[in-house]
Amino acid sequence: MPYERAMKTGSACPPPPGPGKLRLYSQRFCPYAQRTRLFLAAKGIEHETINVNLKEKPEWFFEKTPIAKVPVLEKDGKIVYESLVCNEYLDGIYPDKCITPSDPLEKARQSMVLALWDAKVVEFYYKLVTAKEDERPALTKQFVDGLQFIENALTQPFFSGDKAGALDYNLWPFFERLCVLKHVGFELSVDQFPKLSAWVERMMQLPEVKACYFPPELHVQFGKTMMSGSPDYDIGLKE
Amino acid sequence: MANTIRTFFATTRPTTLQATTLPALRRSGSTPASTMLPKKAFKTGSTAPEPPAPGVLRLISSRFCPYAHRTRLVLAAKGIDYETVNVCLKDRPEWFFAINPLAKVPTLQHDGKVVYESLVCNEYLDRVFPGRKLLPEEPLEKARIGMLQAIWDAKTQPNFMKVNMSKGEEQLKAFVALKEGLTLFENHLVTSGTPFFGGDQPGFLDYSIWPWFELRDLLLVNDVVKLQEVEFPKLFAWLSAMYDRPEVKTVAFDLDVFAKYVATAIAGNPDSDIGLGDSD
């Protein structure tokens, strides 16, 4: 596939997608782009993907989105960016198999869990990946304390109820990457996080999750290239 | 003004219990619940107020928080009745964490339901209460609001704060970045040809960004960082149009009191009750 390799600075702007065709601008290892890839897979939406080098961004990418981040959707001249905005937009233009909750309180509840995730977990996740040995115990405690809020929010088999829904797909990418914390001593323990552990097992059975999945080794490998300062967005692609 | 915004958004967790007595409340069967709630902020060590009565919407708020202001605007725009409980954001009451683990304002309580995060509150109110719809239904229109909100969060609002908190070269750089962020909003109004981001009337995005514009004279204090109408004609017309709106007037900040609040914050002891009388 010609566009699987990440397009970078100096590259020519790809021609727009054909009429009626949906295009996703993505990056193979980006958890936010994976949220949208999960929605696309769950909804069975045909689309083409162009990967973008987020360290050496192509100039044309800034024309598509002033924030120059992935995911970005493009269809018939219309552009949508921001993972959660993209996901709701997909439900809007492909109303079959709607994933975004229709009940206002349930939608609010899911947004609040994401807010808890952002406030209590994400910051420590990133800090823990790059933490020095002496910083790890304190950061791990903060991360674990934060994760407890998410464990507590899981009261049914999935965050969204009996079946996976928006919140499950919006959280999943970060859980797929928990393996990168193994080297700093964190693993999702079934004793400490029984519900989250069971949820992870359930999610891994879902075809849409499998379709977007990268194994731990690949995430760890990519992570190392990120830490080195030269992210290799094409890692794992066959020559 | 340097430390203003830092202290004003202080997120200090309560660490010591301070005995705080509630002001004496009139108790009368015929008195509506809202008059029994003080305007003074509940602090660490305070007793939790009784939950709101059935059917009563309560807003947990702070008089000087722009995020809470977003929700006050929507409540006013939709003509929704509600009562307010103010909390001190520097010395948060412990009971607040039981309602909202983030202990942030705005937080809504309604028949046992709790909603927090300003834009989540606003969307909830818009969908659950009758009246003018503030969020568009059409998917692309709704997405545009989300994208502009993302630009606001990434490029605009942080630079309002940076301009306020910095000096000299750094301040000028932040001001240039702020203007770049504002240009995207100006361009949207040019393209849409409407007075408001919501169209002929203000909508979700107008109320979301308004609080920082209402506070702009307190945020952009130097003459060199004043926004010029000639550079942003549509935004200036929007400012005028927003000031004319009844809902904006109803909940408007008292800028003199706000300035006094800011002064107490700079001094290191933000007084969330400033400007209130003894019986408040």
Side-chain angles (χ1 to χ4, degrees), chain B residues 188-189 192-203 206:
Chain B
H188 181 88
L189 289 176
S192 71
T194 57
F196 301 100
F197 296 95
D200 290 323
Q201 295 198 80
D206 299 85

Side-chain angles (χ1 to χ4, degrees), chain B residues 84-107:
Chain B
T84 302
V85 165
N86 287 314
V87 292
C88 178
L89 297 178
K90 185 167 184 276
D91 300 310
R92 290 163 207 242
E94 297 86 337
W95 56 257
F96 191 25
F97 289 88
I99 295 169
N100 170 359
L102 297 174
K104 283 158 83 179
V105 297
T107 294

Side-chain angles (χ1 to χ4, degrees), chain A residues 81-82 102 107 112 120, chain B residues 13 116 123 127 147 150-151:
Chain A
Y81 50 84
E82 283 299 293
S102 52
K107 185 163 192 256
M112 289 185 278
K120 299 271 189 191
Chain B
R13 282 234 180 183
Y116 50 84
E123 183 170 354
R127 293 182 60 186
M147 290 186 277
I151 293 175

Side-chain angles (χ1 to χ4, degrees), chain A residues 66-67 78-82 85 88-89 92-93 101-105 107-108 111-112 115-116 119-120 149, chain B residues 13 101-102 113-117 120 123-124 127-128 139-140 142-144 146-148 150-151 154-155 184:
Chain A
I67 304 191
K78 295 170 222 163
I79 299 256
V80 178
Y81 50 84
E82 283 299 293
V85 178
E88 274 195 54
Y89 178 68
I93 61 171
S102 52
D103 175 66
L105 185 64
K107 185 163 192 256
S111 300
M112 289 185 278
L116 280 175
K120 299 271 189 191
F149 285 96
Chain B
R13 282 234 180 183
L102 297 174
K113 293 166 270 193
V114 174
V115 183
Y116 50 84
E117 292 299 293
V120 179
E123 183 170 354
Y124 175 77
R127 293 182 60 186
V128 165
L140 187 63
K142 200 198 288 196
R144 285 212 175 99
M147 290 186 277
L148 276 167
I151 293 175
K155 283 179 166 284
L184 294 158

Side-chain angles (χ1 to χ4, degrees), chain B residues 22-187:
Chain B
L22 281 177
L25 300 170
R26 280 188 301 123
R27 292 192 185 272
S28 150
S30 62
T31 310
S34 58
T35 66
M36 292 173 61
L37 288 168
K39 282 191 188 162
K40 291 208 165 86
F42 285 78
K43 298 183 157 70
T44 312
S46 60
T47 306
E50 288 299 307
V56 172
L57 178 70
R58 175 178 293 173
L59 170 70
I60 303 180
S61 182
S62 157
R63 290 162 65 225
F64 303 101
C65 178
Y67 296 92
H69 203 61
R70 289 172 156 171
T71 298
R72 280 195 287 265
L73 282 160
V74 165
L75 287 162
K78 290 181 74 80
I80 299 170
D81 281 327
Y82 65 101
E83 62 184 32
T84 302
V85 165
N86 287 314
V87 292
C88 178
L89 297 178
K90 185 167 184 276
D91 300 310
R92 290 163 207 242
E94 297 86 337
W95 56 257
F96 191 25
F97 289 88
I99 295 169
N100 170 359
L102 297 174
K104 283 158 83 179
V105 297
T107 294
L108 293 170
Q109 286 178 288
H110 190 216
D111 288 326
K113 293 166 270 193
V114 174
V115 183
Y116 50 84
E117 292 299 293
S118 59
L119 300 183
V120 179
C121 288
N122 287 3
E123 183 170 354
Y124 175 77
L125 292 171
D126 195 38
R127 293 182 60 186
V128 165
F129 286 85
R132 185 164 67 87
K133 285 298 167 213
L134 306 178
L135 260 178
E137 294 282 331
E138 199 278 317
L140 187 63
E141 283 310 304
K142 200 198 288 196
R144 285 212 175 99
I145 300 301
M147 290 186 277
L148 276 167
Q149 185 64 51
I151 293 175
W152 176 261
D153 292 341
K155 283 179 166 284
T156 321
Q157 192 257 3
N159 287 310
F160 255 117
M161 303 321 226
K162 263 195 205 146
V163 170
N164 179 255
M165 288 169 73
S166 55
K167 293 195 250 269
E169 248 339 283
E170 216 193 303
Q171 189 182 54
L172 287 174
K173 266 178 75 180
F175 187 54
V176 166
L178 172 63
K179 290 200 286 182
E180 277 170 14
L182 287 173
T183 301
L184 294 158
F185 287 84
E186 175 78 14
N187 292 348

Side-chain angles (χ1 to χ4, degrees), chain A residues 10 28 45 79 131 164 167:
Chain A
R28 291 164 62 241
I45 299 170
I79 299 256
L167 184 55

